[in-house]
Amino acid sequence: MCGIIGYLGKQDNIKIGMTALKKLEYRGYDSAGFATYIPEKKEIICLKSIGKINSLEQKILKSNLDFKGSPSIFHTRWATTGIVSEENAHPHCDCKRNIFLVHNGIVENYKEIKEQLLREGHNIVSETDSEIIAHLIEKFFKGILEEAVAKALKIIKGTYALIVISQDDPEKIVCARLSSPLIIGKKGNEYLIASDPIAISLFSKKFIELNDNEIAVITAKKFFIIKDSFFIKNRKPKKIGKQAEEIKKGEYSHFMLKEIFEEPEAIRRSIKGHLSPNKGLVRFGGMEIMDNKLKEIEKIIIVACGTAYYAGLTGKYMLEEYAKIPVEVEVASEFRYRNPIINKKTAVLAISQSGETADTLAAIREAKKKGALTLGVVNIISSSIAREVDAGIYNHIGQEVAVASTKAFISQLVILALFTLYLSKENLSLGNRKEIIENILELPKLVEGVLKQNSKIKILAKKYSKFSNFFYLGRKYSYPVAMEGALKLKEVSYIHAEAYPGGEMKHGPIALIDKNFPLIFVAPIDSVYEKILLAMEEARARNGKIISITTQGNKSLEKLSDDIIYIPKTLEILSPILTVIPLHLFAAYMGLEMGYDIDKPRNLAKSVTVE
Ligand code: M6R
């Protein structure tokens, strides 16, 4: 979480820095700030503001001050330690306002360090863990910034991507990382440092990646990286991938809507190059090296968070039904601390759009330590999870900008269906495999058909926006879809929504149902259709308002439902890819109906890089 930027060069620092910072707003947007060294004044000036980056822009304009200078550091915050306030916004500085820094990560031992620093007489003004780094650097500062930074970092436990500047060692940027991404773009003697390549794509087409425990020292005349007092030579720059290129909303008012309407394309991209329809086979370039190991696997554990976790739950149904491998699915933050039973015959599969989710990354590291084969389904190329797993599959769906994940979920489901086929060579006949592949190939067209119902779903959102609680219910493949629908509604419309497996409703939650409690039933015609029907009847008997999502041609829900959305017929294993589309649209339109910014919902961030 949090986006950090550093700029050293002679161009317009504010324009370059703020443009880059806006690209990182997906990482957090509750406050923002910057600090710049002004050579004429020989001092660093700092400005901060609560709210999104445009409030900082307004403040810059209103101030009528000239902030032209170099080096500069910028920050957009997602609050972890300390409330949203100007004091807690970055940059933070030491007592003498000599050292300023921006930080992404968490200092786990900050309380004890803070107590020590207070005893030593430091004046600490914020509640944050980040500020204590500035004071620690101050403590060790003897004129050479990188030396003080190196000493301070030895004391810190936790994670960091850090950019530091100093008035008493000016014209220099020092940056460092541990478990939080940090990259450096270079153009002649100009440098732009950022948490993500997307922020520097307009500035340069190549970047240098800083690795864990490395410190980079940057001036207009020299650039070097040090690790444990040794110089690292010749770090080869990497090319910025297409994913990092500028993404625009186009004809859409919001990225979330654009990304929902990109779902057919996300399916096409996810299957591209992986299918041999005539042979009924799936190919995964990134997985084949592990084929021998995969044959030995006796259990798969899927680890993920949020929407990716719901994709994982769907994957369990797919893999157990067709590949006949036992699958456990666990929220990554729980998995990492429960001492799971893992051995060489276990594969741990991480699903993550960003590839940077801290809990999922930690789960993969834990699994590796225990000797498991680690696999990944990741969208962002070269992200931490993509780099650390033994083998993996990329979604290749381009950047997902909206905080609420939509097209990534669809792509994760498609890849899990392909992975199931990949592992089912032995269990399924050629005919069965061909049938599934044919149905997968039809999906983009079918999804396009569902998306055409957008106006109808918009009207439904208007009708239901006055309700403050929703139930989402489904069984088997439709249960994770219900969970995904409820999460989306919560995220973008701030309406309380709960998901339950249809069969559980009568064990407690039914007590809540009355005419003010709408229920959304995910009820395609499948092997459990009759079962979900029972729950629907029970809800109707208690005056619950019912929206059902069912298969085209199914007339049996007309009397039971207040509203029905039809989806085309497909195989049961693929049904979540169709049933979830109306739920994505419904959530987006509900959020818009309530007047919210559905791309940047309150309190959230796109990439959750802290524990
Ligand atoms: O980048 P990841 O897929 O690892 O992210 C996991 C979750 O943080 C993410 O899916 C989150 O739940 C979304 N906001 C859901 O819309």
Side-chain angles (χ1 to χ4, degrees):
M1 333 283 287
C2 302
I4 66 174
I5 294 288
Y7 173 72
L8 186 140
K10 293 204 159 74
Q11 308 299 312
D12 186 338
N13 54 330
I14 297 299
K15 194 169 164 205
I16 293 181
M18 294 296 280
T19 309
L21 193 66
K22 278 189 194 158
K23 295 273 159 56
L24 298 182
E25 206 168 28
Y26 74 91
R27 299 176 76 94
Y29 37 79
D30 57 45
S31 52
F34 73 91
T36 298
Y37 178 71
I38 311 281
E40 297 79 44
K41 293 187 176 168
K42 293 199 172 11
E43 72 169 357
I44 295 174
I45 51 172
C46 178
L47 199 69
K48 307 184 200 187
S49 171
I50 293 174
K52 293 183 180 150
I53 296 173
N54 53 21
S55 354
L56 181 64
E57 271 181 328
Q58 294 306 318
K59 206 164 176 178
I60 295 174
L61 286 175
K62 275 193 200 143
S63 78
N64 262 330
L65 291 172
D66 184 6
F67 294 107
K68 185 149 178 32
S70 173
S72 312
I73 54 178
F74 301 79
H75 189 275
T76 180
R77 181 170 187 243
W78 186 84
T80 46
T81 314
I83 57 161
V84 177
S85 68
E86 262 185 38
E87 288 73 38
N88 291 338
H90 298 223
H92 290 291
C93 67
D94 64 339
C95 305
K96 296 180 206 128
R97 297 184 68 80
N98 166 30
I99 292 149
F100 282 76
L101 59 80
V102 285
H103 168 229
N104 172 35
I106 288 200
V107 183
E108 286 165 9
N109 56 341
Y110 88 97
K111 281 195 179 134
E112 49 195 270
I113 301 175
K114 188 171 178 174
E115 277 164 23
Q116 175 66 27
L117 288 166
L118 287 171
R119 276 197 296 274
E120 289 168 12
H122 285 261
N123 178 24
I124 299 174
V125 295
S126 78
E127 301 161 309
T128 66
D129 53 340
S130 308
E131 188 190 345
I132 66 109
I133 310 176
H135 291 273
L136 266 185
I137 298 173
E138 173 183 28
K139 181 170 160 175
F140 296 114
F141 186 75
K142 295 214 167 68
I144 299 175
L145 185 59
E146 61 271 28
E147 287 182 4
V149 170
K151 283 184 183 152
L153 293 182
K154 286 220 162 70
I155 293 171
I156 285 166
K157 288 197 189 112
T159 60
Y160 53 80
L162 197 67
I163 312 182
V164 195
I165 56 175
S166 161
Q167 211 161 263
D168 292 346
D169 189 7
E171 294 163 30
K172 177 190 277 179
I173 282 187
V174 174
C175 48
R177 85 160 252 186
L178 179 64
S179 298
S180 280
L182 198 65
I183 56 120
I184 302 158
K186 182 176 178 340
K187 205 167 69 180
N189 294 336
E190 252 188 294
Y191 293 87
L192 189 64
I193 302 137
S195 325
D196 183 333
I198 197 169
I200 64 160
S201 59
L202 289 177
F203 176 82
S204 85
K205 293 293 161 216
K206 283 185 178 171
F207 66 90
I208 292 161
E209 197 164 19
L210 211 58
N211 294 329
D212 279 353
N213 296 307
E214 290 180 347
I215 296 178
V217 181
I218 303 166
T219 71
K221 294 200 178 109
K222 57 185 181 192
F223 167 78
F224 58 90
I225 299 175
I226 30 180
K227 184 177 182 182
D228 301 330
S229 316
F230 291 104
F231 286 93
I232 313 260
K233 284 189 196 148
N234 304 330
R235 172 69 43 83
K236 234 181 143 186
K238 289 184 174 170
K239 261 195 181 164
I240 290 187
K242 268 207 151 53
Q243 268 179 330
E245 281 170 13
E246 177 131 50
I247 300 148
K248 298 208 167 95
K249 283 185 214 150
E251 64 190 270
Y252 296 93
S253 61
H254 292 83
F255 279 110
M256 183 177 177
L257 283 177
K258 177 175 181 253
E259 285 158 7
I260 294 172
F261 281 89
E262 279 171 0
E263 287 177 338
E265 182 57 17
I267 300 173
R268 288 190 188 99
R269 287 191 186 201
S270 309
I271 57 185
K272 196 172 171 198
H274 294 313
L275 293 179
S276 295
N278 294 334
K279 293 185 190 150
L281 288 178
V282 170
R283 288 185 312 265
F284 282 132
M287 208 56 107
E288 275 148 21
I289 39 162
M290 288 295 151
D291 265 359
N292 286 340
K293 280 199 175 171
L294 273 173
K295 277 188 194 125
E296 312 262 285
I297 290 304
E298 288 174 353
K299 178 172 82 173
I300 296 176
I301 304 179
I302 300 179
V303 289
C305 303
T307 281
Y309 167 71
Y310 303 141
L313 285 176
T314 318
K316 174 182 166 75
Y317 289 105
M318 295 173 173
L319 286 157
E320 290 192 341
E321 186 161 2
Y322 290 93
K324 309 287 178 209
I325 300 175
V327 179
E328 290 171 19
V329 191
E330 194 156 357
V331 167
S333 53
E334 285 299 307
F335 172 88
R336 61 186 288 196
Y337 291 120
R338 79 169 165 92
N339 206 6
I341 298 165
I342 289 175
N343 58 34
K344 284 194 175 113
K345 297 198 170 175
T346 311
V348 176
L349 169 67
I351 306 177
S352 175
Q353 188 285 130
S354 63
E356 298 294 349
T357 300
D359 287 319
T360 313
L361 181 59
I364 278 296
R365 287 180 179 163
E366 184 63 23
K368 250 192 178 169
K369 248 196 257 162
K370 291 193 145 92
L373 171 70
T374 56
L375 307 171
V377 174
V378 175
N379 188 34
I380 302 296
I381 292 167
S382 291
S383 55
S384 303
I385 296 174
R387 280 188 283 131
E388 294 197 21
V389 288
D390 296 314
I393 306 159
Y394 279 121
N395 299 86
H396 286 305
I397 54 165
Q399 186 90 13
E400 193 181 55
V401 178
V403 166
S405 185
T406 53
K407 65 174 180 175
F409 180 68
I410 295 293
S411 166
Q412 286 157 355
L413 295 183
V414 171
I415 286 178
L416 285 164
L418 299 188
F419 186 52
T420 302
L421 277 180
Y422 188 71
L423 297 184
S424 305
K425 274 177 250 172
E426 251 88 287
N427 306 313
L428 288 178
S429 67
L430 176 64
N432 282 153
R433 282 187 274 122
K434 277 182 161 180
E435 188 195 9
I436 298 177
I437 290 180
E438 274 160 23
N439 278 274
I440 289 175
L441 289 167
E442 273 179 17
L443 284 171
K445 279 253 157 311
L446 300 187
V447 172
E448 274 161 12
V450 181
L451 288 168
K452 285 199 179 123
Q453 300 184 60
N454 65 324
S455 322
K456 181 179 169 187
I457 297 167
K458 208 175 191 171
I459 294 168
L460 276 190
K462 216 178 182 59
K463 176 172 168 188
Y464 285 91
S465 60
K466 59 178 186 294
F467 292 96
S468 15
N469 296 288
F470 279 79
F471 256 141
Y472 283 68
L473 294 114
R475 293 199 72 152
K476 203 176 168 186
Y477 285 101
S478 300
Y479 171 44
V481 172
M483 293 169 103
E484 163 66 1
L487 176 68
K488 257 349 53 116
L489 189 71
K490 279 183 252 198
E491 282 189 295
V492 301
S493 73
Y494 318 145
I495 293 172
H496 170 242
E498 264 192 81
Y500 261 86
E504 264 301 288
M505 196 182 72
K506 57 188 176 294
H507 294 287
I510 198 165
L512 293 169
I513 297 172
D514 62 17
K515 63 179 180 3
N516 296 316
F517 210 130
L519 300 99
I520 299 189
F521 278 91
V522 186
I525 298 285
D526 61 8
S527 61
V528 286
Y529 175 70
E530 298 298 330
K531 306 290 169 197
I532 195 78
L533 211 56
L534 297 176
M536 220 183 270
E537 273 160 2
E538 288 156 9
R540 196 59 169 174
R542 282 146 188 96
N543 294 321
K545 292 229 160 3
I546 293 181
I547 304 175
S548 359
I549 295 166
T550 193
T551 313
Q552 236 144 39
N554 175 22
K555 302 268 179 237
S556 63
L557 296 185
E558 280 171 4
K559 281 206 179 112
L560 275 175
S561 315
D562 292 276
D563 292 283
I564 307 185
I565 302 161
Y566 290 101
I567 51 130
K569 200 170 172 322
T570 186
L571 298 178
E572 182 172 2
I573 177 182
L574 304 176
S575 64
I577 297 162
L578 300 181
T579 50
V580 79
I581 312 278
L583 301 186
H584 281 168
L585 282 172
F586 184 69
Y589 290 134
M590 287 283 276
L592 291 174
E593 192 58 42
M594 319 283 289
Y596 298 133
D597 178 354
I598 58 170
D599 283 347
K600 295 195 185 89
R602 69 180 180 207
N603 304 340
L604 297 179
K606 181 70 183 156
S607 184
V608 187
T609 55
V610 291
E611 195 178 341

